Amino acid sequence: MEYMPGAPFPGVIGRTLDESSPAWPAPSRARDGSPNVVVVLWDDVGFGQLSPFGGLCETPTLDRIAARGLRYSNFHTTALCTPTRGCLMTGRNHHTLGLSAITETSLGFPAHNSFIGFEHGFLPEMLLEHGYNTFAIGKWHLTAPTESTTAGPFNRWPLGRGFERFYGFLAGSTDHWFPDLVHDNHPVPAPATPEDGYHLNIDLADHAIQFVKDAHVHAPDKPFLLYYALGAGHSPHHVEPEWIEKYAGRFDAGWDEYRKVVFERQLAEGIVPPDTVLSERDPDVPAWHDLSDEERRMYAREMEVYAGFIEQSDHHLGRVVDFIDELGELDNTIIVVMSDNGASAEGGVHGTFNEVQFFNGVPETLEKNLEFFDRWGGPDTYPHYSWGWAWAGNTPFRRWKRETYRGGVTDPCIVSWPAGISGHGEVRTQYTHVTDVLPTLLDTLGIAAPDVIRGVEQSPIHGTSFAHSFDAPDAPSNHTTQYFEMFGSRSIHHDGWKANCPVPGPSFAEAAQRGRRFGQALTAEMLEQLDADGWELYHVAADPAETRNLAVDMPGKLADMKALWYEQAEKYGVFPLASAGISRLLTVRPTIAAPRDRLVWYPDAAPVYFGASPRIYNRPYSITADVTIPDVDIAGGASDGILATHGGRHGGYAFMVLGGRLRHVYNWVGSQRFTTSSDEVLTPGDHELRFEFAPTGAPDLAAGTGSPGNALLSVDGRLVGATAFPFTTTNRMGPVGFSCGYAAFDSVDPGLYAAPFRFAGTIRRVIVDISGELLRHDEAELRGLMAQQ
C-alpha cells in the first residue's frame, strides 16, 4: 500500500507487527511513457548562422534534429544572455525575475537586482515532482556574483534550483582550453590539458552522457531533463585546427556576399516569407570591397574559426544525441534547440585576438591580430570576430545582440519529438517567445504548473504554449503581445506589428550624429525626447526584416503601440529604465562578508571567481606569503611552485618560487610580460616572502594602460629584487580568478611553468593587502562586464 507524502497514514499501527498493516509513502514516479526532455541552448548564435536556418556554419546534428522535427522561424528572446536563460527556466518575463540584464550589472530595484525569487519556479523544480531526473550541463549565469563563491549561499546555484547534477561554469563565459569549472556545488580542475586533447565541448558531452548513463542503469524507465547550455558561439572562439581548416577560403567573399547567399537559402527553404526584403547595410559595418587585402584576409580567418567552433560544438552534441539513440530513447525525447540572443558585436570593428584587451580598454589593431593569424582559436588566443560577421550572422535582420531590433531578439528554434509530432522537416511561423518554452513543455508532458514549490506560492507564468502548432501548421499563435527592453532600448510586438525605440540610436554612427553613445545614462529628459521622436513602426508580418519605417505614415498606430508598451512595462515591472551606464558599475551591492582591504588566503583552497578576486589595479598593494622552504635541492627547483596567482596566459600575474629564487611575473593583456626576480637562492627554513607594487604615475586610460610603478621583492624584510613596470592592467586580469599555492586554471607564462605548479614547500597563509587607494577605469570595467554576457 502506498500513500501520498503528507497524507494520513492509511495502514494500521498496532502494538506489534502482527497487529499492524504497513503502507509506504509513494515515490515520485513519472507516468508510463513520459518522454525525456533535452533543451539545447546555444550562446550568441545568430538567426542566419546555423545550417538548418540557411547559415553557412555546418551543423549536421542540428540538421538531423530539424529533419525529424520543426523549425520555428518566428521565435524571440530578450536580446541578452542571462535574461533569456531566466525566461527559459521559469516561463516568466525577465524584469519580473529581476533580470533586466546580466547579473554583474544589477541595480537595487526589483526589475534589476538579479535575485530570482523562489516564487518563480524553475522547470527542473517542476519536473522533479513528477519523477524526472534533472541534469544541467554547461553555462549557468543565473547566480548573482556575490553568491558565486564557495562561501555560498548555494540556493541559486543549479542544484538549488531543481537540478540534481551539474557540470559546467557559473559565469557568462569561460576559456574552452582552460575552463573555470564547477561540479555540482564545488570548483574542480579541468581533467586534462590541451596537449592531452582537452577541449571543454568534449568534456561537457562526456559528462552529459555520464549523467544520463548513471541514471539509466538503475532506472531505465525513468525520464530525464537534460539542460545542455553550450558556451559556443560566445567568445572565446576556441577550436582545434582541423575544424578550422575545413572552412579555409569559404568566407573570402566577405560578409556582404555571406548575407546574399544565406538570404537566398532562407527564401528557398521557407525560413522567411517569399516577399521578405533583405535589410540594408548597417552604417557601422564597412563594405567588404572597401577593405584592404590584409583586412579581408584577417576577417575571413576570424569567421573560419567561428564556423569551425560551431561545427565542433555540434559534433559533440551529436555524441550526446547518438547515446540517447543507443538507449532506444531518441524517438520519445523532446529536443528543443535555441539560442539566447542574436550574434554578438562585442569583437568591435576589427575583432580581437585577446578579448582581455577589450576588458581593459586596450585598442584592438589589425596589425596585432595578424600576428596571431595562424594561432587564432588556439590556446594562445582568446578571440572574437569582427562585428561585420555578427551583422551577417543575423541575416536577414538588422543589428545584433543587446538591441531590440530583430537581429538581437529573433533566434533559431527547433523542436523535435518523433513519437509525438507527425510533421518532420517543416517550418512553423507562429509568433513564439522564450517564455513559451516552459508552458509548451508542461503542456506536452501533461503536467500542470504547480501552485506551490517547497512551500512557496508560485507566481503566474507569462508564456503561452505553442504545442497546438506541432501538427497544425496554420494554427494561430497564442502569443499575440510581447514587450522588449534592454539597456533602455524598447520594442513592442502586437498582432504582426512592431514598434521599436533604439538607444542610443539605430546604429552607433547615427547615434553619434545625435550626440549620443552606447553606455550614456538614460535620463528623464532623454526618455521624453526619445518618446517624442525616437520610435519606429514596422508591419513585421509583411516586412519581417524591419526595412520600412511607417512611423510618419501611421502616427495613430504608432501612438497605440507606444501606449501598449507602457502598459506592458507597468504590468511586468520594467521600471526604472536603465541604460548600460556607469551607474550599473558603481552600484554598491550587498555582500556576504564585510568589505575588507586585507585578504587572507590558505593553500589549496578552492579558486576564487574572477569577480571576487583581489582588485589590485592602479593602486599600491602587497602579497605576503608565510612559508617554510624544505631542506632539499633548492637551486634545482625542488622547492618551486606558485604562492599566489590570478589569471592566465591572456593576462594575469604569478608570485612564485622558480629555480629556488623568488619571482613575480606580470602578464599585460597577453602582449607583454614584466618579470621581477630575486638575486639569490632561498635558504631552507621559515620565511616571509613579499611582493609589493608602488605606483609612480597615473594610468593612461585612453591607451588602455594602468599605472606604472615599482615592483619589489623581499625576503624577511630584506629587498632581493626590483623592476620598474612601464604600465599595468587597468581593470581585469583575465576571465579566471585567484588561487593560492597552485595555478588553478592556466599559466601566466607557459614558457616558465605549467599549471598547476603546486608549491613544494609549506604555505601557512598568504595575505593580500589592497588598502591603497583604488583608481578605477569605470568604462573599461563596464565593457568587460558587457562582454561576459
Side-chain angles (χ1 to χ4, degrees), residues 272-535:
V272 296
D275 55 351
T276 301
V277 175
L278 181 64
S279 58
E280 295 181 355
R281 160 173 310 288
D282 192 284
D284 293 331
V285 178
W288 188 261
H289 61 72
D290 290 338
L291 300 174
S292 68
D293 289 344
E294 288 291 76
E295 286 174 320
R296 289 196 290 263
R297 175 172 172 262
M298 185 69 252
Y299 299 158
R301 181 64 168 181
E302 294 169 7
M303 187 58 194
E304 291 168 4
V305 170
Y306 178 83
F309 184 33
I310 295 299
E311 185 173 352
Q312 185 253 28
S313 304
D314 175 89
H315 168 78
H316 292 294
L317 169 63
R319 293 171 46 220
V320 179
V321 173
D322 287 343
F323 179 73
I324 296 172
D325 199 9
E326 289 174 16
L327 297 178
E329 298 279 344
L330 189 58
D331 281 354
N332 197 31
T333 296
I334 302 170
I335 302 178
V336 179
V337 181
M338 56 174 285
S339 177
D340 60 357
N341 44 245
S344 168
E346 286 144 4
V349 177
H350 296 298
T352 179
F353 81 95
N354 181 8
E355 202 173 20
V356 177
Q357 291 189 329
F358 178 84
F359 302 162
N360 290 284
V362 179
E364 296 93 0
T365 66
L366 174 67
E367 292 72 25
K368 192 67 178 179
N369 285 346
L370 284 167
E371 292 179 21
F372 288 85
F373 183 93
D374 292 327
R375 290 177 282 169
W376 202 276
D380 292 332
T381 65
Y382 199 91
H384 200 309
Y385 57 22
S386 164
W387 65 22
W389 291 118
W391 170 65
N394 292 322
T395 302
F397 305 124
R398 300 173 61 172
R399 300 302 283 174
W400 40 56
K401 172 184 175 181
R402 298 193 308 209
E403 302 186 20
T404 59
Y405 286 110
R406 293 196 69 185
V409 301
T410 304
D411 290 286
C413 179
I414 303 169
V415 179
S416 173
W417 183 26
I421 299 175
S422 60
H424 289 177
E426 298 176 6
V427 175
R428 295 289 183 267
T429 59
Q430 288 83 2
Y431 188 94
T432 50
H433 186 260
V434 61
T435 54
D436 300 335
V437 174
L438 181 144
T440 300
L441 289 171
L442 294 183
D443 186 9
T444 304
L445 299 175
I447 294 174
D451 296 324
V452 176
I453 294 178
R454 300 179 193 172
V456 179
E457 186 175 344
Q458 294 295 288
S459 66
I461 289 176
H462 302 149
T464 60
S465 172
F466 57 85
H468 69 292
S469 69
F470 287 172
D471 293 320
D474 299 322
S477 173
N478 288 335
H479 199 131
T480 57
T481 304
Q482 179 61 47
Y483 82 94
F484 298 89
E485 189 280 332
M486 189 55 59
F487 296 128
S489 288
R490 295 170 286 163
S491 292
I492 182 77
H493 176 276
H494 180 68
D495 280 344
W497 289 85
K498 185 182 176 188
N500 193 55
C501 185
V503 173
S507 66
F508 299 144
E510 291 165 281
Q513 294 172 0
R514 303 176 188 182
R516 299 176 188 155
R517 60 179 177 79
F518 182 78
Q520 183 178 356
L522 179 59
T523 63
E525 180 183 1
M526 184 187 295
L527 180 62
E528 186 175 342
Q529 189 177 49
L530 287 165
D531 276 343
D533 60 18
W535 283 88

Side-chain angles (χ1 to χ4, degrees), residues 44 78 80 161 246 271 320 384-385 387 391 504 538 551 666 698 708 734:
D44 288 3
T78 69
L80 205 63
R161 295 311 308 251
K246 289 186 66 174
I271 301 299
V320 179
H384 200 309
Y385 57 22
W387 65 22
W391 170 65
Y538 301 98
Y666 194 98

Side-chain angles (χ1 to χ4, degrees), residues 4-22:
M4 294 303 297
F9 179 70
V12 177
I13 301 177
R15 292 174 301 172
T16 61
L17 284 176
D18 62 313
E19 296 177 328
S20 305
S21 298

Side-chain angles (χ1 to χ4, degrees), residues 19 127 266 302 351 358 452 473 604 609 623 633 643 776 780:
E19 296 177 328
L127 296 191
Q266 291 172 336
E302 294 169 7
F358 178 84
V452 176
D604 299 324
Y609 169 69
I623 306 174
D633 181 10
L643 302 171
R776 305 175 66 119

Side-chain angles (χ1 to χ4, degrees), residues 21 33 40 45 84 132 134 141 155 223 303 337 371 447 462 523 525 557 600 618 620 635 641 666 730 778 789:
S21 298
V40 180
V45 171
T84 291
Y132 274 73
T134 56
H141 211 196
N155 53 6
M303 187 58 194
V337 181
E371 292 179 21
I447 294 174
H462 302 149
T523 63
E525 180 183 1
K557 181 66 175 179
V600 181
N618 306 306
Y666 194 98
T730 61
D778 293 333
Q789 304 164 65

Side-chain angles (χ1 to χ4, degrees), residues 160-218:
R161 295 311 308 251
F163 286 107
E164 296 171 305
R165 303 186 72 179
F166 171 66
Y167 187 84
F169 53 101
L170 294 182
S173 65
T174 196
D175 191 312
H176 278 64
W177 302 115
F178 306 100
D180 183 356
L181 290 171
V182 169
H183 194 164
D184 294 339
N185 278 354
H186 62 282
V188 293
T193 67
E195 291 76 17
D196 301 322
Y198 181 85
H199 188 283
L200 179 60
N201 278 333
I202 301 172
D203 198 10
L204 295 181
D206 287 347
H207 277 82
I209 292 168
Q210 191 67 50
F211 286 179
V212 173
K213 181 188 302 182
D214 289 348
H216 191 81
V217 165
H218 298 287

